[in-house]
Amino acid sequence: MSEPAADSAARADWFERAHAANAPPQAPELPESWLAALGEMRVAFCAGAWAATIVLAYALAEAAQRRAPSDDPEFDWLRERRNLVAHIDSNYPDAATLESDARGAVRAALRFTYVSFWR
């Protein structure tokens, strides 16, 4: 197995663990469009496309907030992370920060998504 494939496999394993940890055991079935968006976020994460992962995670979280509004500071954190990558300027995060932020963004997006359909 080449190194990039090994990295991708490790990221896929991490994503599945994050999904299991942030979706309730009897999570409701998500609509096809939401599953497609989650799939896109997974593809971006597994590819190591950290900024794209953050943007997609925010899109899911924002849609979830429209379905089930909540006053959650993690949503504000995710918006700030999205803004850092969407408004490219001198504050653009380094690779290690982007990866860390992408992992947090995935966890938040999964949690917001499932909570919005659980209610």
Side-chain angles (χ1 to χ4, degrees), residues 14-66:
W14 182 92
F15 192 95
E16 295 311 316
R17 289 190 310 274
H19 188 268
N22 290 283
Q26 286 95 19
E29 186 65 32
L30 297 175
E32 190 173 318
S33 58
W34 286 73
L35 291 173
L38 281 171
E40 291 290 328
M41 183 175 67
R42 183 185 185 283
V43 167
F45 183 84
C46 291
W50 309 128
T53 300
I54 293 165
V55 170
L56 290 165
Y58 180 75
L60 280 160
E62 184 180 41
Q65 282 287 84
R66 283 194 310 272

Side-chain angles (χ1 to χ4, degrees), residues 48-55 80-99 101-102:
W50 309 128
T53 300
I54 293 165
V55 170
E80 290 170 5
R81 302 288 69 80
R82 189 281 316 257
N83 287 346
L84 282 174
V85 299
H87 306 290
I88 302 169
D89 63 16
S90 62
N91 294 326
Y92 197 80
D94 62 26
T97 301
L98 281 172
E99 181 177 358
D101 288 350

